[in-house]
Amino acid sequence: MRLGFGLGLQYSKLSGGGGGIDPQAQAQITRITNAGGTIEDTSVINADIKFLKSIGLFANLKYAVDPRAGITQRVDGSDTFASKIFDYSGSDADTDNLQGSEQPKKGILNGVTSLDFDGVNDKLTNEDTVTFLAGEEMFSIAVYAQDFDNSGRFGMVVDKLSPDNGGQEFGRNSSNIVIFANFGQYTTYQNVQIIASGTTNTSNLLKGFINGIEQVSSSSSSEYIGKSIGKIRKQVSGFHAKAQFQKNWDFNALPTESQASAIYAYLQNQFNITF
């Protein structure tokens, strides 16, 4: 199945949808700044929340991060690192790492701020919040680019719960791109900014999409608790991603075709992505 583009609402880049600051956006802006976070652009939070409300999915949003929308910064010389990325979904599931040598560096991908993970030991984690269980609906979408040549035998950008095979995941496993389930092609997407998404339904049917095009489907029990960006959780060593990360949204509902198409169009516009 291809998720068509051009359906749903078309928002100009970070317009906020008009009407000033959304109250829930303002609450998150206040929470993040009170916690010492740096928000590069408050309109990211405002526009995202207004957009998701306009298509009827905000109530199902469980996790939302974007480095423009709130990080705790650590400056070292000419470089800026993120010790925390703030969740602005309302779940307050902030994801962090107190070890300075393991923090991703702030960078730029296609003209938009990213967090650059070094593929050695960089990671941001949260073990305790944002829970999806087998037999529940799940929809997740992420924007990133990964260096598939140089990330070792395994690199993971967003989420895999290990040592079991449960959990949603976007990344690379050996020669496979991983989007909830493996499929055996990756060269096309090498070092290219992509939108990866995955769904699972109450029958544990998993589907993975890249840039709106379905790539794989399978049936398996998929669960996860907490969040991980840059590394598989519950692994002592190895399995880090060399990647530039820009956004991740998680929902506890499957989008309609129209909602999914609107999300893809919105993210393409926001991140200057051409498919």
Side-chain angles (χ1 to χ4, degrees), residues 52-123:
L52 291 172
K53 284 183 175 181
S54 75
I55 64 169
L57 270 180
F58 178 73
N60 299 102
L61 183 67
K62 295 191 70 174
Y63 183 75
V65 292
D66 182 316
R68 298 168 298 169
I71 61 173
T72 300
Q73 296 190 161
R74 177 179 65 85
V75 178
D76 185 354
S78 60
D79 294 324
T80 300
F81 297 85
S83 60
K84 177 184 289 187
I85 190 166
F86 287 90
D87 166 36
Y88 57 94
S89 71
S91 299
D92 299 354
D94 307 328
T95 308
D96 60 14
N97 189 342
L98 298 180
Q99 298 297 318
S101 62
E102 299 178 356
Q103 293 166 357
K105 185 165 64 175
K106 195 174 180 181
I108 295 289
L109 173 61
N110 199 17
V112 182
T113 298
S114 64
L115 292 183
D116 298 353
F117 292 82
D118 64 6
V120 178
N121 58 9
D122 289 356
K123 62 183 181 294

Side-chain angles (χ1 to χ4, degrees), residues 217-228:
S217 65
S218 64
S219 294
S220 63
S221 175
S222 181
E223 299 190 1
Y224 80 99
I225 300 173
K227 289 297 297 186
S228 173

Side-chain angles (χ1 to χ4, degrees), residues 4-253:
F5 303 121
L7 302 177
L9 296 178
Q10 297 293 320
Y11 269 47
S12 61
K13 282 188 175 65
L14 300 183
S15 67
I21 299 289
D22 178 271
Q24 285 166 295
Q26 185 60 63
Q28 287 302 309
I29 292 166
T30 301
R31 181 185 78 84
I32 293 167
T33 53
N34 285 348
T38 297
I39 302 176
E40 178 182 301
D41 190 347
T42 57
S43 68
V44 173
I45 299 174
N46 191 42
D48 286 358
I49 289 176
K50 284 186 173 182
F51 165 70
L52 291 172
K53 284 183 175 181
S54 75
I55 64 169
L57 270 180
F58 178 73
N60 299 102
L61 183 67
K62 295 191 70 174
Y63 183 75
V65 292
D66 182 316
R68 298 168 298 169
I71 61 173
T72 300
Q73 296 190 161
R74 177 179 65 85
V75 178
D76 185 354
S78 60
D79 294 324
T80 300
F81 297 85
S83 60
K84 177 184 289 187
I85 190 166
F86 287 90
D87 166 36
Y88 57 94
S89 71
S91 299
D92 299 354
D94 307 328
T95 308
D96 60 14
N97 189 342
L98 298 180
Q99 298 297 318
S101 62
E102 299 178 356
Q103 293 166 357
K105 185 165 64 175
K106 195 174 180 181
I108 295 289
L109 173 61
N110 199 17
V112 182
T113 298
S114 64
L115 292 183
D116 298 353
F117 292 82
D118 64 6
V120 178
N121 58 9
D122 289 356
K123 62 183 181 294
L124 297 172
T125 59
N126 181 321
E127 295 287 347
D128 300 318
T129 57
V130 192
T131 300
F132 288 93
L133 301 176
E136 294 183 335
E137 289 187 346
M138 184 192 309
F139 169 52
S140 186
I141 189 162
V143 180
Y144 68 85
Q146 186 159 349
D147 184 348
F148 293 108
D149 269 352
N150 299 310
S151 51
R153 71 184 183 91
F154 200 106
M156 185 57 57
V157 177
V158 185
D159 261 350
K160 177 177 170 63
L161 191 62
S162 187
D164 64 32
N165 288 321
Q168 62 176 339
E169 46 184 311
F170 303 123
R172 169 184 177 259
N173 184 342
S174 298
S175 61
N176 298 332
I177 283 181
V178 178
I179 40 174
F180 278 36
N182 294 347
F183 71 98
Q185 60 175 308
Y186 67 99
T187 304
T188 305
Y189 305 102
Q190 183 179 15
N191 303 320
V192 174
Q193 186 184 35
I194 61 174
I195 300 177
S197 60
T199 64
T200 182
N201 65 19
T202 54
S203 299
N204 294 318
L205 175 65
L206 310 179
K207 292 186 176 183
F209 303 82
I210 287 184
N211 296 342
I213 300 173
E214 183 177 333
Q215 304 289 343
V216 65
S217 65
S218 64
S219 294
S220 63
S221 175
S222 181
E223 299 190 1
Y224 80 99
I225 300 173
K227 289 297 297 186
S228 173
I229 305 174
K231 181 184 183 293
I232 299 176
R233 284 174 290 134
K234 299 190 177 178
Q235 285 281 356
V236 175
S237 62
F239 307 146
H240 290 78
K242 182 174 174 58
Q244 291 181 269
F245 168 82
Q246 293 184 300
K247 202 177 201 79
N248 180 208
W249 287 342
D250 290 347
F251 303 85
N252 63 353

